[in-house]
Amino acid sequence: MELLLSLQDISYAYHNLKGETPALSHISFEVSQGEFLAIVGPSGCGKSTLLSIIAGLLAPEKGSLFYRGQYVSDCGLRDVMKVGYMLQRDHLFEWRTIYKNVLLGLELNHALTGENIDYVLKLLKDYDLYAFRDKKPSELSGGMRQRAALIRTMAIRPDLFLLDEPFSALDSQTRLNVSADIAQIIRGTNKTAILITHDLSEAVTLADRVLVLSKRPACVKCEMPIHFDTDRSDPLAVRNSAKYRLYFNQLWEVLTNEQTAVPTN
Ligand code: ADP
């Protein structure tokens, strides 16, 4: 697979009047075009900080980010590629219909062309929300709202999806199905995704590779490629497979054992 992103020796600390909070320590890893990478780690270890650096919302204090081998300045990836961000809360606006909500990204980018609107209508049909386009967000289920948030993100045709715990507000059953659906959609369009999650099961079920971070300040403890013979679109079949249990147990061991230091690659 073609190399898309390369993070080299990234460190970051928050500074305030009370002092310094080191969040990231010498983080290095690569992401290939079309890959679905999950990043797991204990709560508060620095996962969102890492995603913010990749998105260009924060500049790393030390280290560098490369896009297809080219150094990316502090302004971040948004200058060189289209980045779509999906967050824990869906941030749909209650006073707008679903249709108006999913057009928001295009509106803000002054890109409400006929072609783009047709694309959004197709996405609404493909993801079973067309019949609900005139409803308000509160009239939809949690899973439907999350699909609407995905369509709003997809409307700008991002090359890279940054997913910051986007499924954590959903109940566990909906979460399983919606996360598998959304991963399939991203995979089906050969987009690249980086998913932050504290849920190991989710990481193993969805990702091509899992990166385990240590507690704060986060460093990379292990990288594990994930391969299933089972159809990835069926999350239950994946979770019932012997391989799933193997991956889960290995990752659990690394995550919970502070002494474990598995060399990357
Ligand atoms: P995670 O996403 O893994 O839960 P975060 O990246 O949100 O972790 O935060 C990492 C650490 O940095 C946490 O201990 C958090 O309290 C601290 N932190 C996050 N944002 C700030 C900030 N703006 N100022 C000071 N400390 C912060």
Side-chain angles (χ1 to χ4, degrees):
M1 280 202 283
E2 210 180 323
L3 178 65
L4 188 74
L5 300 179
S6 170
L7 281 81
Q8 290 183 11
D9 212 24
I10 301 265
S11 294
Y12 188 86
Y14 290 99
H15 299 272
N16 57 30
L17 291 175
K18 287 185 188 153
E20 186 185 83
T21 309
L24 304 174
S25 171
H26 304 286
I27 302 249
S28 299
F29 63 91
E30 294 181 339
V31 187
S32 299
Q33 164 72 45
E35 189 177 22
F36 200 117
L37 176 74
I39 301 179
V40 296
S43 183
C45 77
K47 300 184 292 298
S48 297
T49 306
L50 181 57
L51 212 62
S52 298
I53 285 177
I54 297 172
L57 303 173
L58 289 175
E61 282 190 326
K62 290 188 194 137
S64 314
L65 177 61
F66 295 86
Y67 167 77
R68 297 190 190 279
Q70 302 268 333
Y71 172 75
V72 178
S73 75
D74 287 351
C75 307
L77 281 175
R78 286 170 302 164
D79 276 0
V80 288
M81 71 192 302
K82 278 195 204 158
V83 178
Y85 223 121
M86 254 181 97
L87 303 165
Q88 201 163 334
R89 285 190 49 235
D90 57 44
H91 294 281
L92 296 174
F93 292 117
E94 191 49 44
W95 66 87
R96 290 188 147 221
T97 61
I98 291 300
Y99 180 63
K100 286 278 184 189
N101 263 291
V102 295
L103 289 182
L104 190 66
L106 291 174
E107 242 177 80
L108 294 175
N109 283 289
H110 305 291
L112 273 180
T113 61
E115 191 192 348
N116 285 338
I117 291 173
D118 285 347
Y119 178 58
V120 165
L121 290 171
K122 181 179 179 309
L123 292 172
L124 284 167
K125 285 177 189 155
D126 286 353
Y127 309 139
D128 296 328
L129 285 177
Y130 188 74
F132 299 87
R133 65 191 182 286
D134 295 324
K135 303 275 186 207
K136 294 284 173 58
S138 61
E139 298 176 86
L140 269 59
S141 69
M144 291 162 95
R145 291 177 64 122
Q146 214 55 18
R147 288 208 303 275
L150 177 71
I151 293 174
R152 187 186 50 198
T153 308
M154 289 185 80
I156 61 160
R157 302 176 207 250
D159 308 303
L160 174 69
F161 284 85
L162 299 179
L163 311 171
D164 194 351
E165 303 252 15
F167 313 118
S168 57
L170 303 176
D171 65 78
S172 55
Q173 201 183 344
T174 310
R175 179 175 182 151
L176 196 62
N177 290 324
V178 171
S179 60
D181 274 0
I182 288 182
Q184 267 321 98
I185 292 164
I186 293 174
R187 255 182 232 288
T189 46
N190 195 33
K191 303 290 185 184
T192 309
I194 301 178
L195 167 73
I196 294 287
T197 177
H198 61 266
D199 182 339
L200 263 192
S201 313
E202 188 166 276
V204 174
T205 313
L206 303 181
D208 299 314
R209 186 160 51 105
V210 178
L211 204 79
V212 181
L213 299 183
S214 69
K215 67 179 188 190
R216 192 180 66 75
C219 62
V220 178
K221 278 178 114 180
C222 135
E223 282 183 40
M224 190 174 290
I226 308 282
H227 297 290
F228 285 106
D229 307 322
T230 327
D231 177 6
R232 294 295 286 264
S233 66
D234 182 350
L236 272 185
V238 169
R239 289 191 186 204
N240 284 327
S241 67
K243 258 187 151 180
Y244 168 84
R245 282 190 292 282
L246 196 72
Y247 286 134
F248 184 94
N249 291 340
Q250 284 178 353
L251 287 166
W252 180 260
E253 176 76 15
V254 178
L255 194 62
T256 53
N257 184 353
E258 275 308 316
Q259 306 309 314
T260 320
V262 178
T264 56
N265 290 320

